[in-house]
Amino acid sequence: MSARDPTDLLERLDLKEYEATALSHLLAAGRSTAPDIAEATGIPKARIYGVLDTLADLGYIKVYPGRPKEYEPKSPATILDRVKENRRQEYERRRREVEDLREEFLAEFRPRYERADDDVSPTAELFYVVDVGDPSESETRKLYADADERVNVITNSFAYFDAVEPAFADAVDRVDVDVLFLHPRHLPDEKRERQAEIVDRIAAEYPEVGIRFSEERLPWRGTFADPSATYDSGKAIFLVEERDVPNHKRQAAITENGSFVAGMQRYFDLVWEHESLAEYPD
């Protein structure tokens, strides 16, 4: 049995400490009254009714009228479904707020941006950078979401796949997706195992995704979308290979330069066709 405190799981659903404690107790004890819950959990009696009202408003418990009222938890699956719905509604509310702000925001800041942009050199326009980790993963998810025709991935082991999988899955439903992995003989044991796990998942869950393995080391890795032979579209996020620099000290480059993205596509195609294997290497 796991030694995890169950309230830790509930706090990950954005519940405060008393809310998580009360809900954890109810899930174990079943239908109960506020005084009994307060006594069993140590939640102050002055706070317990507000805590239970919050859980009811969130849709995680049922309230039965009476003297005293009784409270009953909904099933764990129902609670998780309600968490998702609450977050969806919160997202829609925030999205509407942003849309309501659009006209005023653009009127205020677009002229400033355009005046400042006149001073940017062509070299500075080629790339901008973000830290590797959450910022680069967020940019990668956006790249998947914005793709119109295709997405190509160049990666060692695709260790960050969990962080981008929902966006990856959505892209697979809309556009062509190919992944070029590094041959596992170039990876240390722990990364080789991670790569094998990710390859198996993609092959099983996304059979339409093309997968190959580069026999030579990859000088860079990243993701790019919608390259064009006419150099008029495309976006990429990538980083060069720096084996002695840990990821938390690195930055990823982002470009929307159509010529550069087209060049990345040519590199990808050459390796895909002439320097890679289609089957997972033994």
Side-chain angles (χ1 to χ4, degrees):
M1 178 178 293
S2 172
R4 180 197 296 272
D5 183 344
T7 59
D8 291 343
L9 282 173
L10 294 170
E11 288 178 6
R12 288 171 62 185
L13 303 182
D14 296 332
L15 292 178
K16 297 177 181 177
E17 180 181 358
Y18 284 163
E19 295 161 359
T21 299
L23 184 54
S24 178
H25 173 75
L26 280 169
L27 285 165
R31 189 161 168 170
S32 189
T33 65
D36 288 344
I37 297 168
E39 182 176 355
T41 62
I43 298 173
K45 291 182 179 179
R47 298 285 304 278
I48 190 63
Y49 287 99
V51 168
L52 293 169
D53 285 345
T54 296
L55 291 174
D57 290 343
L58 289 170
Y60 303 161
I61 64 174
K62 302 174 185 176
V63 183
Y64 295 94
R67 293 180 180 273
K69 291 179 180 177
E70 292 186 318
Y71 302 86
E72 182 180 48
K74 295 183 180 179
S75 72
T78 299
I79 290 171
L80 285 177
D81 288 342
R82 189 55 190 259
V83 170
K84 291 168 58 178
E85 177 60 19
N86 290 344
R87 291 186 177 181
R88 186 194 66 78
Q89 292 181 17
E90 174 65 13
Y91 166 78
E92 287 297 327
R93 183 185 68 79
R94 295 296 299 274
R95 186 186 63 80
R96 289 193 297 269
E97 288 179 354
V98 172
E99 284 302 317
D100 290 343
L101 183 63
R102 175 179 292 274
E103 184 175 347
E104 181 182 0
F105 187 91
L106 293 180
E108 176 67 29
F109 291 108
R110 180 182 281 160
R112 301 185 187 195
Y113 172 80
E114 290 174 347
R115 286 195 299 271
D117 196 48
D118 289 340
D119 298 328
V120 176
S121 70
T123 301
E125 289 178 342
L126 185 57
F127 302 112
Y128 63 94
V129 298
V130 296
D131 289 339
V132 170
D134 290 343
S136 62
E137 289 166 1
S138 177
E139 290 289 342
T140 301
R141 288 191 291 269
K142 187 175 187 305
L143 188 148
Y144 283 125
D146 293 344
D148 291 322
E149 296 181 2
R150 73 170 299 102
V151 175
N152 289 337
V153 181
I154 300 177
T155 183
N156 287 348
S157 61
F158 216 161
Y160 61 95
F161 182 70
D162 290 344
V164 301
E165 183 176 9
F168 179 93
D170 178 69
V172 170
D173 287 339
R174 297 181 294 101
V175 302
D176 294 330
V177 178
D178 291 323
V179 182
L180 178 63
F181 285 91
L182 181 63
H183 193 292
R185 71 166 173 261
H186 297 303
L187 296 173
D189 290 344
E190 66 276 9
K191 290 189 176 182
R192 190 180 303 126
E193 292 174 2
R194 180 60 172 160
Q195 184 196 71
E197 174 192 340
I198 297 300
V199 169
D200 287 345
R201 282 174 57 187
I202 294 175
E205 299 175 26
Y206 309 100
E208 58 269 62
V209 173
I211 296 176
R212 293 185 73 92
F213 302 88
S214 172
E215 297 189 273
E216 301 298 328
R217 293 189 179 277
L218 298 168
W220 56 273
R221 56 188 185 271
T223 305
F224 60 99
D226 299 336
S228 167
T230 56
Y231 305 163
D232 58 1
S233 69
K235 181 176 180 179
I237 178 169
F238 67 98
L239 61 161
V240 297
E241 183 67 14
E242 295 176 291
R243 301 178 64 185
D244 297 328
V245 181
N247 278 347
H248 70 275
K249 293 185 177 181
R250 304 183 65 186
Q251 291 184 314
I254 299 172
T255 183
E256 297 182 40
N257 182 283
S259 298
F260 193 93
V261 177
M264 295 174 74
Q265 178 67 55
R266 294 194 66 179
Y267 169 83
F268 185 94
D269 289 344
L270 287 170
V271 176
W272 188 271
E273 293 295 332
H274 303 291
E275 295 183 356
S276 66
L277 303 175
E279 299 296 327
Y280 191 79
D282 294 329

